Amino acid sequence: MTTSTQIQLIARPVGTPTPDDFRTVTEELPALTEGEVRVGNEFISVDPYMRGRMNDTPSYIPPFQLGAAMTGGAVGRVIESTADSLPVGTPVLSFLGWRDVAQGQADQFTPVPETALPLSAYLGAAGMTGLTAYAGLLRIAGLRSGETVFISGAAGAVGSVAGQLARLLGASKVIGSAGSAEKVALLKERYGFDEAFNYRDGAVGDQLRAAAPDGIDVYFDNVGGEHLEAALDVLNRDGRAALCGAISAYNTESEPTGPRNMGNIVTRTLRLEGFLVGQHQDLQPEFTQRMAGWLSDGSVVFDETVVDGIENSVEAFLGMMQGANTGKMVVRV
């Protein structure tokens, strides 16, 4: 029998999660039945949206079950198979998440091409993360050539890709915010942002206004809160905002306060639209083709923060929620 080490949620956090809300267990896996595969995960993804799934509240995706393995993106290779479609050695993606060995019917796993990219890229720039940036800029914000774009949380998994894609999709100026001087330097020196600022250095609104004296046309929001209010202050007439996330409010124990300048939406005829990447899977073939070229020729670069060991998945998740990552945070199993 093969065993699987898994991370389970055992208590619903109040405010910021703690290690006591989780446990690590090892379970024996049954023999494969017809059409099943067993996959040795090589990397698992930790993502901000997972915090919402720890609450037992209605949302676009069911909450995590207490006492069950945490689900989410994972990539690995088939190590045993009774399915002709997925022979041993096939690299695959799944949503079975926080475990070192995953097992299930073959249709729960999606094969990915063998390329020069590390498999972890399919959890990041070449996967859901990159598609989120692409869909948000192209379809939700309708980015047009010559426009100015502001991206919050720009050194994170989605933001770092979104900044580079904005330039490739025609933006004339790309501005980003991050949480340290080191990350600000990275935005400008590695990811090609024209302007960047540390949101811890002062009021976001003042810093954004200084970086964009002529205003912005598109806002890609990963943070919410003060960043959204600042963007509403400087969005030009007919500006658009693609609302991807609001990590600043995910651990709050009280109701967050909304922006105080919502009237600008009317007076400047702005459009704000929230979106979920799962609603834009029809863009996947187009995105995959374009991103493969951009990654191959160096037009898009990506970084990862890697934490080793399935037993350290909770540490990785908590660190990501506090901004400890540059680029995509993954756990190397």
Side-chain angles (χ1 to χ4, degrees), residues 92-146:
V92 293
L93 281 168
S94 78
F95 200 67
L96 297 179
W98 297 25
R99 62 188 90 201
D100 59 355
V101 179
Q103 181 171 315
Q105 287 292 316
D107 62 7
Q108 293 181 271
F109 301 87
T110 302
V112 296
E114 290 274 17
T115 68
L117 295 172
L119 284 185
S120 55
Y122 292 103
L123 299 176
M128 183 181 73
T129 295
L131 180 59
T132 300
Y134 187 78
L137 290 167
L138 195 65
R139 176 170 286 174
I140 305 303
L143 175 61
R144 297 187 286 266
S145 179

Side-chain angles (χ1 to χ4, degrees), residues 137 140-144 147 216-220 235-242 269-273:
L137 290 167
I140 305 303
L143 175 61
R144 297 187 286 266
E147 293 191 314
I216 63 174
D217 304 296
V218 168
Y219 174 44
F220 193 106
L235 272 163
N236 294 324
R237 180 169 296 278
D238 299 327
R240 291 89 64 206
T269 58
L270 307 178
R271 178 167 59 82
L272 280 67
E273 183 175 348

Side-chain angles (χ1 to χ4, degrees), residues 3-11 17-27 41 43-46 50 53-54 64-74 95-102 307-318 331-333:
T3 60
S4 176
T5 299
Q6 309 172 357
I7 310 300
Q8 300 178 347
L9 184 71
I10 58 172
T18 72
D20 291 338
D21 296 321
F22 308 84
R23 71 181 176 195
T24 303
V25 301
T26 299
E27 296 183 351
N41 283 334
F43 294 91
I44 67 168
S45 180
V46 295
M50 293 176 173
R53 296 191 67 200
M54 295 175 189
F64 291 122
Q65 298 179 26
L66 294 181
M70 303 264 290
T71 53
F95 200 67
L96 297 179
W98 297 25
R99 62 188 90 201
D100 59 355
V101 179
V307 173
D308 283 308
I310 188 71
E311 69 279 4
N312 294 317
S313 300
V314 173
E315 174 190 332
F317 172 76
L318 297 179
V331 177
R332 181 163 46 207
V333 179

